[in-house]
Amino acid sequence: MTANQKPFKRILLTGAAGGLGRILRERIKPWAEIVRLSDISDMGAAQAGEEVVQCDLADKAAVHALMEAVDVVLHFGGISTENNFEAIMTANIQGTYNIYEAVHKAGVKRVVFASSNHAVGFYKTTDYIDANSPRRPDGMYGISKCFGEDLSRYYYDRFGIETV
Protein backbone atom coordinates (compact mmCIF):
# COMPACT_ATOMS: atom_id res chain seq x y z
CA MET A 1 0.00 0.00 0.00
CA THR A 2 1.38 3.39 -0.98
CA ALA A 3 1.24 6.47 1.23
CA ASN A 4 -1.79 7.81 -0.67
CA GLN A 5 -3.64 4.50 -0.91
CA LYS A 6 -6.62 4.09 1.40
CA PRO A 7 -7.42 0.77 3.11
CA PHE A 8 -10.94 0.52 1.64
CA LYS A 9 -12.49 1.33 -1.71
CA ARG A 10 -15.97 2.02 -0.25
CA ILE A 11 -17.28 2.32 3.32
CA LEU A 12 -21.00 2.44 4.03
CA LEU A 13 -22.05 4.53 7.03
CA THR A 14 -25.67 4.07 8.13
CA GLY A 15 -27.18 6.69 10.41
CA ALA A 16 -25.11 9.41 8.74
CA ALA A 17 -27.57 12.18 9.73
CA GLY A 18 -27.44 11.24 13.43
CA GLY A 19 -25.23 12.65 16.16
CA LEU A 20 -22.40 10.11 15.78
CA GLY A 21 -22.94 9.80 12.04
CA ARG A 22 -22.28 13.50 11.46
CA ILE A 23 -18.99 13.22 13.37
CA LEU A 24 -17.94 10.00 11.63
CA ARG A 25 -18.75 11.45 8.21
CA GLU A 26 -15.63 13.59 8.35
CA ARG A 27 -13.42 11.26 10.37
CA ILE A 28 -13.70 8.18 8.16
CA LYS A 29 -12.76 9.90 4.89
CA PRO A 30 -9.05 8.97 5.22
CA TRP A 31 -10.07 5.30 5.35
CA ALA A 32 -11.85 4.98 2.00
CA GLU A 33 -11.79 6.30 -1.52
CA ILE A 34 -15.58 6.61 -1.33
CA VAL A 35 -17.80 6.99 1.73
CA ARG A 36 -21.40 6.01 1.06
CA LEU A 37 -23.64 7.82 3.54
CA SER A 38 -27.11 6.59 4.34
CA ASP A 39 -29.95 7.70 6.57
CA ILE A 40 -33.72 8.00 6.45
CA SER A 41 -33.27 11.73 7.16
CA ASP A 42 -31.70 14.38 4.95
CA MET A 43 -27.88 14.33 5.06
CA GLY A 44 -27.25 17.32 2.86
CA ALA A 45 -25.34 17.27 -0.40
CA ALA A 46 -22.54 14.84 -1.13
CA GLN A 47 -19.05 16.26 -0.72
CA ALA A 48 -15.95 15.11 -2.60
CA GLY A 49 -15.44 11.37 -2.14
CA GLU A 50 -19.00 10.81 -0.87
CA GLU A 51 -22.17 9.17 -2.10
CA VAL A 52 -25.41 10.13 -0.34
CA VAL A 53 -28.25 7.59 -0.41
CA GLN A 54 -31.45 8.20 1.54
CA CYS A 55 -32.68 4.81 2.76
CA ASP A 56 -35.14 3.33 5.24
CA LEU A 57 -33.35 0.37 6.83
CA ALA A 58 -36.69 -1.43 7.10
CA ASP A 59 -36.81 -1.53 3.27
CA LYS A 60 -35.06 -4.81 2.47
CA ALA A 61 -34.56 -4.13 -1.24
CA ALA A 62 -33.15 -0.65 -0.58
CA VAL A 63 -30.71 -2.00 2.02
CA HIS A 64 -29.53 -4.71 -0.38
CA ALA A 65 -28.91 -2.00 -3.00
CA LEU A 66 -26.84 -0.04 -0.45
CA MET A 67 -24.33 -2.92 -0.25
CA GLU A 68 -23.26 -2.78 -3.89
CA ALA A 69 -19.45 -2.57 -4.04
CA VAL A 70 -19.13 -1.96 -0.26
CA ASP A 71 -16.04 -3.23 1.61
CA VAL A 72 -17.10 -2.48 5.20
CA VAL A 73 -20.24 -1.25 6.97
CA LEU A 74 -20.36 1.12 9.92
CA HIS A 75 -23.89 0.45 11.21
CA PHE A 76 -25.04 3.43 13.29
CA GLY A 77 -28.53 3.64 11.78
CA GLY A 78 -31.84 3.25 13.60
CA ILE A 79 -33.58 4.91 16.51
CA SER A 80 -31.00 5.90 19.15
CA THR A 81 -33.29 6.59 22.10
CA GLU A 82 -36.13 4.86 23.91
CA ASN A 83 -39.32 4.64 21.88
CA ASN A 84 -42.37 2.41 21.52
CA PHE A 85 -41.80 -1.20 20.51
CA GLU A 86 -43.28 -0.83 17.03
CA ALA A 87 -40.86 1.96 16.10
CA ILE A 88 -37.88 0.15 17.65
CA MET A 89 -38.84 -3.11 15.95
CA THR A 90 -39.01 -1.50 12.51
CA ALA A 91 -35.91 0.68 12.66
CA ASN A 92 -33.57 -1.26 14.95
CA ILE A 93 -34.59 -4.91 14.75
CA GLN A 94 -35.82 -5.23 11.16
CA GLY A 95 -33.27 -2.67 10.01
CA THR A 96 -30.34 -4.47 11.64
CA TYR A 97 -31.51 -7.81 10.26
CA ASN A 98 -31.71 -6.27 6.78
CA ILE A 99 -28.18 -4.90 7.16
CA TYR A 100 -26.69 -8.26 8.14
CA GLU A 101 -28.60 -10.21 5.51
CA ALA A 102 -27.53 -7.73 2.82
CA VAL A 103 -23.92 -7.84 4.07
CA HIS A 104 -24.00 -11.64 3.80
CA LYS A 105 -25.56 -11.66 0.32
CA ALA A 106 -23.10 -9.02 -0.95
CA GLY A 107 -20.04 -10.79 0.47
CA VAL A 108 -19.08 -7.95 2.82
CA LYS A 109 -16.91 -9.39 5.60
CA ARG A 110 -16.77 -6.65 8.23
CA VAL A 111 -19.39 -4.66 10.15
CA VAL A 112 -18.91 -2.14 12.93
CA PHE A 113 -22.11 -2.43 14.99
CA ALA A 114 -22.94 0.43 17.34
CA SER A 115 -24.34 -1.19 20.46
CA SER A 116 -25.16 0.74 23.64
CA ASN A 117 -24.76 0.83 27.38
CA HIS A 118 -28.55 0.35 27.41
CA ALA A 119 -27.94 -3.34 26.69
CA VAL A 120 -26.70 -3.56 30.30
CA GLY A 121 -28.57 -0.57 31.71
CA PHE A 122 -30.24 -2.35 34.62
CA TYR A 123 -26.96 -2.93 36.42
CA LYS A 124 -26.20 -0.52 39.25
CA THR A 125 -23.42 1.93 38.46
CA THR A 126 -21.47 0.42 41.35
CA ASP A 127 -21.68 -3.14 39.92
CA TYR A 128 -18.60 -4.57 38.28
CA ILE A 129 -19.46 -6.17 34.95
CA ASP A 130 -17.37 -7.54 32.12
CA ALA A 131 -17.90 -9.11 28.71
CA ASN A 132 -19.15 -12.32 30.33
CA SER A 133 -21.85 -10.64 32.42
CA PRO A 134 -25.44 -11.25 31.30
CA ARG A 135 -27.04 -8.44 29.40
CA ARG A 136 -29.72 -6.54 31.32
CA PRO A 137 -31.47 -4.18 28.88
CA ASP A 138 -33.21 -1.19 30.41
CA GLY A 139 -35.89 -0.68 27.74
CA MET A 140 -37.00 -1.49 24.22
CA TYR A 141 -33.99 0.35 22.81
CA GLY A 142 -31.67 -1.77 24.99
CA ILE A 143 -33.48 -4.92 23.86
CA SER A 144 -32.90 -3.95 20.24
CA LYS A 145 -29.18 -3.60 20.94
CA CYS A 146 -29.10 -7.05 22.57
CA PHE A 147 -30.79 -8.40 19.43
CA GLY A 148 -28.14 -6.71 17.28
CA GLU A 149 -25.34 -8.22 19.36
CA ASP A 150 -26.86 -11.70 19.08
CA LEU A 151 -27.49 -11.25 15.36
CA SER A 152 -23.89 -10.19 14.80
CA ARG A 153 -22.70 -13.29 16.68
CA TYR A 154 -24.89 -15.51 14.51
CA TYR A 155 -23.61 -13.97 11.27
CA TYR A 156 -20.03 -14.41 12.47
CA ASP A 157 -20.52 -18.04 13.53
CA ARG A 158 -22.55 -18.96 10.44
CA PHE A 159 -20.90 -16.88 7.73
CA GLY A 160 -17.63 -15.49 9.12
CA ILE A 161 -18.77 -11.86 9.06
CA GLU A 162 -16.59 -9.98 11.54
CA THR A 163 -18.32 -7.50 13.82
CA VAL A 164 -16.49 -5.04 15.99
Side-chain angles (χ1 to χ4, degrees):
M1 183 165 74
T2 65
N4 294 332
Q5 189 177 10
K6 298 182 179 188
F8 302 104
K9 171 75 174 158
R10 182 175 281 108
I11 292 176
L12 168 61
L13 171 63
T14 67
L20 289 174
R22 288 190 308 268
I23 293 168
L24 288 172
R25 181 175 183 166
E26 293 304 316
R27 295 195 177 169
I28 62 175
K29 286 182 180 182
W31 293 90
E33 294 174 29
I34 301 167
V35 176
R36 181 175 292 158
L37 304 165
S38 177
D39 203 295
I40 197 168
S41 300
D42 181 40
M43 297 161 279
Q47 300 170 15
E50 294 181 339
E51 299 169 340
V52 173
V53 182
Q54 203 159 8
C55 179
D56 181 348
L57 297 180
D59 181 341
K60 182 179 179 179
V63 173
H64 281 259
L66 275 179
M67 292 304 152
E68 184 179 336
V70 167
D71 300 310
V72 64
V73 176
L74 306 181
H75 180 41
F76 286 74
I79 295 172
S80 64
T81 57
E82 188 61 28
N83 208 308
N84 64 62
F85 178 74
E86 290 75 16
I88 294 288
M89 179 182 67
T90 301
N92 295 19
I93 294 175
Q94 184 66 48
T96 299
Y97 169 77
N98 287 344
I99 288 288
Y100 274 95
E101 190 60 15
V103 159
H104 164 59
K105 297 290 185 193
V108 178
K109 289 297 182 190
R110 185 170 294 159
V111 176
V112 176
F113 173 69
S115 191
S116 171
N117 62 310
H118 292 280
V120 293
F122 263 124
Y123 282 101
K124 295 176 186 172
T125 57
T126 56
D127 289 343
Y128 174 80
I129 62 173
D130 62 20
N132 297 314
S133 299
R135 290 186 299 263
R136 294 183 63 194
D138 61 7
M140 292 297 125
Y141 173 67
I143 288 169
S144 75
K145 291 304 180 173
C146 292
F147 172 81
E149 290 178 16
D150 287 343
L151 192 67
S152 69
R153 183 75 220 189
Y154 166 76
Y155 275 85
Y156 174 77
D157 289 342
R158 183 81 188 248
F159 305 112
I161 297 168
E162 294 180 30
T163 302
V164 292

